[in-house]
């Protein structure tokens, strides 16, 4: 079985990256929730930044507070998303006007999908069948060349917390696009999907994540899951809702391995990043 390697090195400052990163490109999707305290790090790592509708309001309103920059205008000019996507029922008119008028430098592998000037405003108000996150991931999936997909990881902020139906919809996107690396982030934890088609190696960045973690199937039970690197490892264990799932586990190694006959969600706590 082929191996997929995972790392949360995107939570580290850009100067302190491991030599052998699992991916070389990041895309950042900002949902309509308050920004995490480590947002500047994610922004610096990303080659492409997309705001899902009202996510643009939070970049406009909050980035200067997170960066402690007294020059609000300078900060707003610095943090400009390449695309604003969604049904446009949340973004404020002045925010939409500001970003659409900015000059940007684009990620080369994404150039064919972007305008020559200003944030691309992609109004999908005609499509009420999918969430704004689904629309953003669909765009990234469509515009990323197939040979670049294994080298891309999509980071999603504002995906956890708030209304549970929104969280469930965001988790559903992981399953809908299981051929892509997508990480859902909050201030407190992250979630990623571990597809059953591969064996997984998770390289733990202990300075920024852990030790608490969880591993469980959603939608279909696992009849055999085996792990290493955890305090309470699984050995060909069965897991399903209504029975045993692995929560409140503890990472005890720099590398955690997971092999299962079902798609699993991996979650790990985040430390107080500054």
């Amino acid at each position: 079985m082929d191996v997929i390697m995972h790392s949360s090195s995107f939570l580290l400052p850009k100067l302190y990256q491991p030599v052998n990163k699992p991916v070389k490109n990041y895309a950042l999707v900002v949902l309509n929730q308050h920004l995490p305290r480590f947002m500047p790090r994610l922004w610096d790592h990303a080659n492409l930044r997309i705001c899902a509708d009202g996510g643009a309001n939070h970049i406009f309103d909050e980035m200067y507070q997170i960066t402690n920059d007294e020059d609000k205008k300078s900060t707003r000019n610095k943090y400009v998303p390449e695309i604003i996507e969604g049904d446009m029922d949340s973004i404020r008119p002045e925010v939409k006007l500001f970003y659409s008028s900015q000059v940007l430098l684009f990620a080369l592998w994404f150039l064919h999908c972007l305008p020559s000037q200003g944030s691309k405003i992609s109004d999908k108000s005609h499509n009420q069948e999918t969430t704004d996150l689904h629309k953003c991931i669909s765009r990234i999936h469509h515009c990323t060349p197939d040979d670049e997909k294994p080298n891309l990881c999509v980071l999603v902020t504002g995906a956890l917390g708030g209304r549970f139906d929104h969280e469930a919809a965001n988790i559903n996107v992981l399953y809908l696009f299981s051929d892509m690396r997508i990480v859902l982030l909050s201030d407190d934890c992250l979630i990623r999907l571990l597809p059953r088609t591969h064996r997984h190696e998770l390289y733990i960045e202990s300075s920024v994540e852990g030790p608490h973690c969880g591993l469980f199937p959603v939608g279909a039970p696992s009849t055999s899951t085996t792990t290493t690197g955890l305090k309470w490892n699984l050995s060909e264990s069965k897991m399903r809702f209504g029975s045993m799932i692995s929560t409140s586990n503890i990472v005890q190694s720099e590398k955690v391995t997971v092999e299962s006959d079902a798609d699993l969600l991996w979650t790990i706590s985040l430390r107080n990043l500054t």
Side-chain angles (χ1 to χ4, degrees):
M1 184 177 287
D2 291 338
V3 175
I4 295 181
M5 296 185 293
H6 307 270
S7 169
S8 299
S9 59
F10 52 82
L11 293 172
L12 299 172
K14 206 168 183 180
L15 294 175
Y16 300 100
Q17 291 300 293
V19 176
N20 298 315
K21 293 194 302 181
V23 298
K24 66 179 182 181
N25 291 319
Y26 291 101
L28 175 62
V29 177
V30 183
L31 300 185
N32 189 17
Q33 295 284 348
H34 288 298
L35 305 180
R37 59 191 180 278
F38 47 83
M39 186 66 176
R41 291 188 185 181
L42 304 182
W43 192 279
D44 288 345
H45 283 293
N47 307 93
L48 172 75
R49 301 96 173 177
I50 302 180
C51 286
D53 195 1
N57 296 337
H58 293 280
I59 297 295
F60 189 84
D61 294 336
E62 299 174 26
M63 281 300 281
Y64 79 94
Q65 298 171 333
I66 294 174
T67 58
N68 294 317
D69 191 342
E70 295 181 358
D71 189 343
K72 186 184 300 185
K73 181 178 179 180
S74 174
T75 303
R76 286 174 174 168
N77 289 334
K78 178 180 178 181
Y79 295 101
V80 178
E82 283 81 8
I83 301 173
I84 300 173
E85 180 110 8
D87 54 17
M88 301 298 147
D89 63 349
S90 300
I91 186 171
R92 302 196 306 271
E94 73 273 17
V95 174
K96 183 177 178 181
L97 177 61
F98 175 82
Y99 286 128
S100 63
S101 65
Q102 301 300 302
V103 176
L104 297 169
L105 296 175
F106 301 131
L108 293 178
W109 53 273
F110 218 86
L111 271 175
H112 61 290
C113 289
L114 296 172
S116 59
Q117 181 172 333
S119 297
K120 176 181 176 65
I121 307 297
S122 179
D123 188 340
K124 296 294 178 66
S125 56
H126 61 280
N127 178 5
Q128 296 296 318
E129 299 299 316
T130 60
T131 65
D132 284 341
L133 176 58
H134 187 286
K135 294 177 177 70
C136 292
I137 299 298
S138 293
R139 172 180 290 276
I140 296 170
H141 189 273
H142 173 71
C143 292
T144 303
D146 288 340
D147 60 346
E148 287 293 338
K149 284 187 173 74
N151 295 316
L152 174 67
C153 180
V154 183
L155 310 174
V156 184
T157 67
L160 306 171
R163 282 171 47 186
F164 180 69
D165 59 329
H166 287 172
E167 289 183 310
N170 295 335
I171 291 171
N172 189 48
V173 167
L174 300 183
Y175 286 82
L176 290 170
F177 296 92
S178 60
D179 61 333
M180 296 183 67
R181 298 171 185 258
I182 304 173
V183 181
L184 307 182
L185 292 149
S186 73
D187 265 324
D188 303 309
C189 69
L190 64 78
I191 296 176
R192 64 173 88 230
L193 181 69
L194 306 183
R196 63 185 181 277
T197 52
H198 292 76
R199 182 173 177 270
H200 298 271
E201 295 181 351
L202 298 112
Y203 291 87
I204 307 302
E205 300 291 347
S206 58
S207 65
V208 293
E209 63 181 343
H212 302 97
C213 64
L215 189 69
F216 43 87
V218 173
S222 167
T223 60
S224 179
T225 296
T226 298
T227 67
T228 66
L230 303 177
K231 184 174 183 179
W232 295 285
N233 278 310
L234 305 173
S235 180
E236 299 182 354
S237 301
K238 297 179 180 180
M239 291 195 295
R240 66 178 177 85
F241 276 91
S243 183
M244 193 275 288
I245 59 175
S246 178
T247 62
S248 300
N249 213 324
I250 301 291
V251 170
Q252 288 196 323
S253 174
E254 293 182 354
K255 181 174 79 171
V256 172
T257 67
V258 179
E259 187 171 343
S260 180
D261 64 349
D263 297 338
L264 301 178
L265 291 180
W266 164 262
T267 182
I268 188 167
S269 59
L270 301 183
R271 298 183 182 273
N272 187 20
L273 308 181
T274 56

